[in-house]
Amino acid sequence: MIYLALGTIAFSAASAFAWVLNVSLKTNQEFLGTRPWSIADEFHLENYANAWTNADVGAYFGNSVVVSITSTVLGVVVSAFAAYPIARIPFRLNGAVLAVFLMGLMVPWMVTFIPLYLTLQDLGLLDTRIGLILVYATYNLPFNIFVLVGFLRTLPRELEEAAAVDGAGPTTTFVRVILPLLGPGLASVTIISFLNNWNEFFYALVLIHSPSKMTLPLGLFQLGQAADYGTNWVTLFAGMIITALPVLILFALLQKQVTKGLTAGALKG
């Protein structure tokens, strides 16, 4: 029964993606005519060129690449350095520190949004890529730390003992011994963080106002509201495919690492 339900969900998602891809290759006349569900008679690849250049999807794509990659790298690096002492170095407030980070998974984002907005306003970071990068990086910290702490606890304690015998301190031990073993865990939090950052819409909607700084989800939303493109469905659908392709490719390449990292982290999380 479970496999049937999962198979139905997977089939529905694949069908929706195939339909969007099909529409992106049609003309507006075909889509708005009597055969919106039929396969395209001809593949109009110029829809993607129009979306990339005329509809500024290329500029939105570049902004998303910069913001998503930078915030993902920053968030994962900070998470790794925060998770290591929590998981491997005993101290009195170990559990309390972890609990503070995990509270970020339980507190609704609506509660923190107004203080966050006012803080960025005071710092002069509204309508800036740097402000959005910092928000995205911190937004993923609780989940990243939770997964990495669970993964680090699966590693044998003898690793630190052997490194200490050789005279290595905590920083050297982490960088030279522990970090190379964190591959699956880092791959998991990296791809999930990138997915979240790439697809995030609400923070970008409120924090970014300049069209030149908009990310892909926000840019496509604004594009749908524009008079020139509000009825130009095939261009909008081509933009959706351009938005979806990077995350699909990334997940296809790293799915085994993601599964391994999350499974290992769950065993002792």
Side-chain angles (χ1 to χ4, degrees), residues 103-239:
M103 283 179 62
L105 295 174
M106 298 178 281
V107 177
W109 62 264
M110 295 82 74
V111 176
T112 61
F113 181 75
I114 293 179
L116 175 64
Y117 184 92
L118 295 176
T119 300
L120 291 177
Q121 188 177 52
D122 292 339
L123 295 175
L125 295 177
L126 283 180
D127 197 27
T128 64
R129 296 185 188 90
I130 296 177
L132 198 60
I133 288 170
L134 294 176
V135 170
Y136 284 179
T138 54
Y139 175 80
N140 292 300
L141 279 180
F143 177 80
N144 292 353
I145 291 174
F146 172 73
V147 172
L148 291 178
V149 166
F151 189 87
L152 283 164
R153 286 175 176 171
T154 66
L155 302 178
R157 293 281 179 180
E158 290 76 13
L159 292 172
E160 281 94 346
E161 296 173 2
V165 170
D166 292 337
T171 302
T172 303
T173 301
F174 172 71
V175 173
R176 295 188 178 181
V177 179
I178 302 298
L179 195 59
L181 301 175
L182 270 181
L186 291 176
S188 300
V189 297
T190 297
I191 190 171
I192 293 173
S193 296
F194 182 82
L195 257 170
N196 291 336
N197 298 334
W198 186 267
N199 294 323
E200 201 285 322
F201 171 74
F202 184 79
Y203 283 114
L205 175 65
V206 178
L207 300 177
I208 298 297
H209 310 130
S210 302
S212 62
K213 300 173 185 175
M214 290 180 178
T215 56
L216 262 175
L218 179 57
L220 289 179
F221 172 76
Q222 298 292 339
L223 195 62
Q225 309 303 308
D228 293 340
Y229 292 95
T231 57
N232 194 349
W233 292 103
V234 295
T235 301
L236 290 176
F237 278 61

Side-chain angles (χ1 to χ4, degrees), residues 44 57 64 93 98 116 137 151 182 191 209 211 252 267:
H44 294 274
V57 170
S64 281
L93 298 178
L98 179 60
L116 175 64
F151 189 87
L182 270 181
I191 190 171
H209 310 130
L267 294 176

